[in-house]
Every structure is written in C-alpha cells, then in structure tokens.
Amino acid sequence: EMRGNWPYRETQGELNWLVQGTCPNYAFSISQTASHQNNWRLVHKQAQQRILRHMSSTVESKLIYRRQDKKMQTLTASKLVTMTDSSHATNLKHDARLRSQTGILLFMYGNLVYWKSGRQDRVATSPQHAEVNAADEGVREMIWERLLLEDLGHAETGPSVVWWDNKGVIDNTLRTRTEAQHQQTLGRQADVQK
C-alpha cells in the first residue's frame, strides 16, 4: 500500500497539541495513531483524516465550565473527582511492548480540567495490575491538583474521590476467597475422615 507524501508526523504533532488543550474526546483515537508514527500505513493516514474531518465538523462545539455540575453533585460533594480505567495489553503480535492503555479524567467542581489517554509506563502482568497502575497515576495527578488548590487558597478540606473500574480486583478477591473456603472445607473433611 502506498503511503504518499502525507505529513504524518507533522499532522500527529498538531493532533497531540489539540487534544492537550481543547479536545479531550479525541485522546484515545489520537494516542492510537501516535503509536504508528515510525511505521505508518495507509490505514493510519485514513484514521488521521477521519479525526480531522470530525474535528472540522464539530468546530462550534465547546466545553462550558460551571461552578458545580448537577450530575457530579449527585456523585459527590468533593471539589476533586478522579476517574480512571485501563485496558490490559494482551496481544503479543500487535504490541510486543505489552503496555496497557490508561484513561484518566479529573474533574474540579464538576468540570473536566485534566484528561489523559495513553500507554502505561509500566508493564502490567494482569488486568488487575493495569487497573492499579491507572488508579495510581490518577491519584498522583489528583494530589498535584490538591496542592495547586492549596497554593491558590482553595484547599480541599475533605477527602477527594477516585472512581476506578476495579471489577477485576473484586473478581480476583472473590475467587481467592472461594478457593480459601474450598481449602478449609477440604481440611475439615480430612479431619473428619481421620
């Protein structure tokens, strides 16, 4: 497939700049096209073009910041709310580096002020490990925001809230508990048979 004269890296740099300041909804798509900068193909060029077409069709859309969003107010009364999620990398053929994908959203007074979608710095050995890595990164960003609020004279007095998808951790805990109960049952059966 022919690549042509498409300025892939330059376009990627412009997309990266846009997502940092104005377009959090494109963070995942742009991080995916960024992973192919050194060896892009026609399909990656077409993905960039789709992103650009969609951006140009939504140029009038905007983020509106309010004192407190009603939906967020029902979730928590905290000034800061962090939401994290991850996708564990398991496809050896697709990604030999095995870096999981992390998504982070940080809300202040119910308004989105920080977002990230990108590869994790550490290799996760399981989906649970990937979730913990994402939560760790989200909490570090939240701590930085708390310190910033304190420096500005708006210190958060109560705890901040972190929402994260910990289904894998819960499932693992339940499985471990079930296995432990099974071992106890086996031990009791052995005692009865003696």
Side-chain angles (χ1 to χ4, degrees):
E1 57 190 296
M2 296 295 292
R3 294 191 334 176
N5 293 334
W6 181 255
Y8 192 88
R9 287 185 178 184
E10 292 85 352
T11 304
Q12 191 62 45
E14 292 167 2
L15 290 171
N16 288 341
W17 183 82
L18 283 170
V19 79
Q20 290 301 318
T22 60
C23 304
N25 49 326
Y26 296 102
F28 179 76
S29 303
I30 291 172
S31 73
Q32 294 301 302
T33 57
S35 66
H36 300 284
Q37 287 187 86
N38 292 330
N39 191 18
W40 62 275
R41 305 255 185 261
L42 181 60
V43 68
H44 305 119
K45 169 189 167 184
Q46 291 168 340
Q48 279 187 338
Q49 290 173 330
R50 268 193 308 277
I51 293 168
L52 289 169
R53 273 195 308 274
H54 191 270
M55 282 182 167
S56 66
S57 71
T58 59
V59 73
E60 295 298 320
S61 299
K62 54 190 133 209
L63 292 172
I64 298 173
Y65 289 93
R66 298 183 186 103
R67 178 74 175 146
Q68 182 74 31
D69 184 78
K70 289 182 174 138
K71 286 181 186 176
M72 292 301 291
Q73 204 169 26
T74 59
L75 291 174
T76 179
S78 177
K79 290 180 191 174
L80 290 175
V81 176
T82 303
M83 298 179 180
T84 67
D85 197 6
S86 73
S87 174
H88 184 237
T90 56
N91 189 345
L92 286 170
K93 288 183 180 179
H94 181 263
D95 186 7
R97 297 169 294 159
L98 286 178
R99 303 283 189 206
S100 299
Q101 186 81 16
T102 288
I104 300 171
L105 300 173
L106 194 140
F107 297 87
M108 185 181 301
Y109 294 109
N111 298 292
L112 183 63
V113 294
Y114 175 84
W115 55 87
K116 178 186 177 181
S117 176
R119 299 278 183 194
Q120 293 182 354
D121 296 334
R122 297 166 275 188
V123 174
T125 57
S126 68
Q128 296 88 351
H129 190 193
E131 293 291 347
V132 170
N133 286 346
D136 176 62
E137 192 172 343
V139 167
R140 283 188 280 124
E141 184 60 36
M142 182 190 59
I143 290 170
W144 187 89
E145 295 287 344
R146 282 182 69 103
L147 293 172
L148 176 65
L149 281 174
E150 188 177 321
D151 288 347
L152 295 173
H154 297 280
E156 174 127 342
T157 55
S160 296
V161 176
V162 179
W163 295 82
W164 59 302
D165 177 12
N166 58 0
K167 183 180 180 331
V169 175
I170 292 169
D171 290 347
N172 193 39
T173 303
L174 291 175
R175 185 173 52 250
T176 303
R177 185 184 312 153
T178 304
E179 289 170 4
Q181 289 170 344
H182 179 66
Q183 290 300 324
Q184 288 175 350
T185 304
L186 289 177
R188 285 188 202 120
Q189 288 174 349
D191 289 342
V192 170
Q193 291 175 359
K194 287 181 184 177

